[in-house]
Amino acid sequence: MSTSSNSESIESERSKDRRLDDEGTSSRIVTSGMPMEIVREIREDPPEELEESNWPAKGGYGWVAADVREQSSLFRWSRLLNSWLNCTPVISKGVSGDIVSLERVSAIDRVCHGQEGATEKFFYMYICHFSQLHVRLPLDDFAMGVLRALNVAPTQLHRNSWAYLQAFRILCQSLYLEPTPYSFLYFYDTRPRRLATWLSLISRPSISRLDAFSQSFKHFKDRYFKVVVKEEGKAHFLNADGSTKFSFSWTSNPSRYKDMGMEELLAGDKEVVGMLLKFVDKLPTKGLVRSGKKNPALFQTLRKEMASKAKAAGKTDVPNLQESVVEVHVHDGTKRKAELSPRPEKGKDVKKVRATLLGTGSTSGEKGPEAGTL
């Protein structure tokens, strides 16, 4: 066979391959002149999911900003949602996955919509809550308390503000402090807009202790799904009278906070605020949030280390039993010290602790599931 005729034959096979590919049925490849047929799987969305686009839009949400009420979700497609959930932890370790059902939304559902027509109680969550901010269900008392104090649903609080919340919890727990909603909100102001949109916490410049998670948190608005509370999960999300422990739906009147004073705080709140005010510089929010992924002991007791240093220096007493000090080592190598208030119920070993706070690390863009999961 001549070279020219062989080339024509291969080109003919390629042309046929392209035609079949365009038809979406099968294709051929040529290996050593022998055509091999490959059948490609065609994945169609369920007819009922396609049909939802013809449903009438829900009304009554003129109090919500247009960019919120017009934003549909990518997770109207069940197979796409399942692909994300297969590689994104949502439920806390040791908690049964039966407490909730994670479900797609319809083509006309919007993140600001309420419970109209629902037979089961539900709320929306963004996938970035779990993939980037390491939120887990069920929400703890601190997170639910902040949502109640702000009078917002989980998706109504901006993602950067959720990052503040996550970092604050980890920081407090590492310092053996109990995070409380109002000790957290003491460091922020809120300015709700007339047309409801995502509520942002605005750091109070003179006392802010956490830097911004990201200057621009992109690719989250169209990635929300439905969390339906099941019978096994009611105790986690509902009060004894059946009311919700936080707002499940967006509200038109988020709470406004401005320059909260110490006199507005309870004793437990003041203890937390007083401790954190001893830090001079801002702490890395992203580092703290990322550390929560594996929940390492960022702040560990160092009695043995201090005792060893004291012995080497010829001292007969152990410094950390005389004074409570926190040494905070930040990623740029600088150090800060702050006194710890006595916490006798925790024992002497927690009087001296040190933390290595992680750096700012990864980018803020949302990543999709790994290749091959769709």
Side-chain angles (χ1 to χ4, degrees), residues 292-350:
K293 182 178 182 180
K294 296 182 179 179
N295 195 25
L298 288 181
F299 291 66
Q300 300 183 25
T301 58
L302 298 178
R303 182 181 180 184
K304 290 183 178 180
E305 178 181 323
M306 296 299 292
S308 176
K309 291 181 178 179
K311 183 178 180 180
K315 297 181 179 179
T316 57
D317 58 347
V318 181
N320 71 314
L321 297 183
Q322 305 301 318
E323 182 183 14
S324 299
V325 177
V326 178
E327 289 182 3
V328 181
H329 293 243
V330 188
H331 60 279
D332 62 4
T334 61
K335 297 182 180 180
R336 296 189 294 276
K337 292 187 177 182
E339 291 186 3
L340 268 175
S341 57
R343 297 178 64 80
E345 72 279 7
K346 297 294 184 180
K348 293 182 179 180
D349 283 351
V350 302

Side-chain angles (χ1 to χ4, degrees), residues 19-171:
R19 290 198 306 275
L20 291 171
D21 241 358
D22 291 340
E23 295 170 3
T25 55
S26 63
S27 62
R28 292 189 179 190
I29 59 173
V30 178
T31 305
S32 301
M34 298 294 292
M36 297 177 62
E37 186 170 2
I38 298 176
V39 178
R40 290 196 172 102
E41 178 185 4
I42 301 175
R43 308 183 73 170
E44 296 182 353
D45 293 300
E48 63 272 15
E49 296 183 14
L50 294 170
E51 178 62 25
E52 290 171 355
S53 297
N54 299 321
W55 291 1
K58 294 182 180 180
Y61 288 89
W63 52 272
V64 181
D67 58 338
V68 179
R69 66 174 186 268
E70 294 174 1
Q71 181 64 69
S72 61
S73 175
L74 289 177
F75 297 137
R76 58 172 291 194
W77 311 112
S78 54
R79 64 180 179 84
L80 180 59
L81 174 61
N82 291 335
S83 296
W84 277 82
L85 293 178
N86 283 338
C87 56
T88 306
V90 172
I91 307 296
S92 296
K93 290 183 179 180
V95 177
S96 171
D98 294 332
I99 63 172
V100 294
S101 175
L102 308 177
E103 302 178 4
R104 71 179 189 89
V105 301
S106 76
I108 63 168
D109 285 333
R110 298 295 181 264
V111 74
C112 59
H113 286 171
Q115 311 282 306
E116 300 95 342
T119 57
E120 298 176 294
K121 292 188 181 295
F122 72 90
F123 55 93
Y124 291 114
M125 293 290 283
Y126 288 108
I127 198 71
C128 70
H129 280 130
F130 308 100
S131 62
Q132 288 184 273
L133 302 178
H134 312 298
V135 176
R136 297 292 180 263
L137 297 177
L139 301 178
D140 63 12
D141 290 339
F142 169 62
M144 291 190 293
V146 171
L147 293 174
R148 285 197 304 272
L150 293 173
N151 192 34
V152 293
T155 50
Q156 197 171 355
L157 184 61
H158 195 279
R159 308 298 75 76
N160 268 323
S161 300
W162 263 102
Y164 287 141
L165 187 154
Q166 290 289 85
F168 188 87
R169 175 198 291 106
I170 294 170
L171 179 59

